[in-house]
């Protein structure tokens, strides 16, 4: 792991580790925290469901397991700050971690559907007159990075919460969640920025408006390039929700030395929201020519798509590029320079890797 910060703990796997498997092993899965990792006693833990509900619920883990049907979903979690390093290369972004391509990972999550819990609480699609209604998630970890310091939280629109896609998960890749990934229970909001997949969940509130938590109302918002992030207040910029189309080259690594000739290029692409990855192109020569990569197994829109192809590299230095297309025929933007923003979110320009090809001795 590449550790960006020890406290709060923020670390990402190397490209090589991330590219090994379609499902990311739990000890390889990236870790994104804004405060200390709480250790909660699963037996004492309770989930409070309140707000615009018909019935207030107070659920133990045992209640969740016994009273609801268990579902699982294979979903990629991706931080809005993934690939920020490409934006920092354009202009500095003080106070934010320089995530490379690894602030994203994929697991199979199991637990109950948020929709089923809300239905039990008597929540319907017309709760709070629906227009603008949100379902807020609260956690106990207090972040000193928030202004003022506060426990972590966020929210999603009621329509997404009732979709059946959103899981309250207690297991990851077939084993109970580890503390760092949100034990005993976390939210998994597939296709949405990782910030909404609240860990150590202890309260769900149905309300008329989005959460006023700092991490919903101030952070994780896309500010225009000229904005001063230190004076940005609640509601400034665009709230980030569904993930934008993105991809990364995982192998060869940037700055790698390879032998000239046929070289395998591999990576991931993720369309975000409910969109699908439709095509990935790779250029061996900084965009002069492109080849279409082979797409790996399709696990549905909530999971990334692995891709690979072979390119013929002459001896010398060359720049590999990739670009993904989604099912709406939208493609990734070419240049990070146009995407720079003061908090360094949504860094989804074409990934590039410079490789040094040594002459083949054959
Ligand atoms: N309670 C809590 N939930 C949280 C966070 C946090 O700091 N506290 N970080 C969020 C962010 S920004 C991301 S990207 C994901 C990361 O999940 P992971 O650490 O399991 O990879 O968790 C989200 N849920
Ligand atoms: Mo994140």
């Amino acid at each position: 792991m590449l550790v960006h910060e020890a406290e709060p703990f923020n670390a990402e796997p190397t490209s090589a580790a991330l590219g090994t498997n379609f499902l990311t092993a739990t000890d390889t899965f990236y870790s994104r925290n804004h405060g200390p990792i709480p250790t909660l006693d699963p037996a004492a833990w309770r989930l409070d469901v309140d707000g615009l509900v018909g019935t207030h619920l107070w659920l133990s883990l045992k209640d969740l397991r016994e009273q609801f049907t268990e579902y699982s979903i294979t979903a990629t979690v991706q931080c809005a700050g993934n690939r920020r390093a490409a934006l920092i290369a354009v202009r500095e972004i003080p106070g934010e971690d320089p995530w490379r391509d690894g602030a994203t990972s994929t697991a199979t999550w199991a637990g109950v559907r948020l929709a089923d819990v809300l239905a039990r609480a008597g929540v319907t699609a017309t709760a709070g007159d629906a227009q603008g209604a949100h379902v807020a998630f609260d956690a106990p970890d207090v972040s000193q990075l928030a202004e003022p310091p506060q426990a972590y939280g966020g929210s999603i629109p009621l329509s997404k919460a009732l979709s059946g896609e959103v899981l309250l998960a207690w297991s990851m890749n077939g084993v109970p969640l580890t503390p760092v990934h949100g034990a005993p229970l976390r939210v998994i909001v597939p296709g949405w920025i990782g910030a909404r997949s609240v860990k150590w969940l202890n309260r769900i509130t149905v309300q008329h408006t989005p959460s006023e938590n700092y991490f919903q109302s101030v952070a994780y918002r896309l500010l225009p390039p000229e904005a001063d992030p230190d004076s940005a207040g609640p509601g400034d910029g665009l709230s980030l929700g569904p993930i934008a189309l993105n991809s990364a080259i995982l192998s060869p690594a940037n700055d790698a030395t390879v032998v000239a000739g046929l070289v395998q290029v591999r990576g991931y692409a993720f369309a975000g929201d409910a969109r699908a990855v439709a095509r990935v192109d790779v250029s061996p020569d900084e965009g002069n020519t492109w080849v279409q990569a082979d797409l790996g197994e399709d696990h549905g829109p909530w999971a990334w798509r692995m891709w690979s192809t072979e390119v013929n590299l002459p001896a010398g230095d060359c720049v590999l590029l990739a670009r993904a297309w989604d099912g709406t025929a939208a493609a990734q933007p070419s240049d990070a320079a146009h995407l720079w923003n003061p908090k360094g979110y949504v860094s989804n320009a074409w990934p590039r890797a410079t490789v040094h090809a040594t002459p083949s001795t054959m």
Side-chain angles (χ1 to χ4, degrees), residues 29-35 77-80 103 105 109 138-141 152-153 172 180-182 186 193-201 215 220:
F29 207 99
Y30 83 104
S31 207
R32 174 75 181 101
N33 301 291
H34 299 78
V77 181
Q78 189 161 111
C79 186
S105 299
W109 311 91
D138 284 301
D141 53 320
Y152 191 89
M172 178 178 182
V180 73
H181 293 299
R186 77 174 298 171
I193 62 163
R196 308 301 175 231
S197 290
V198 174
K199 302 189 276 190
W200 314 294
L201 179 71
F215 295 100
Y220 294 104

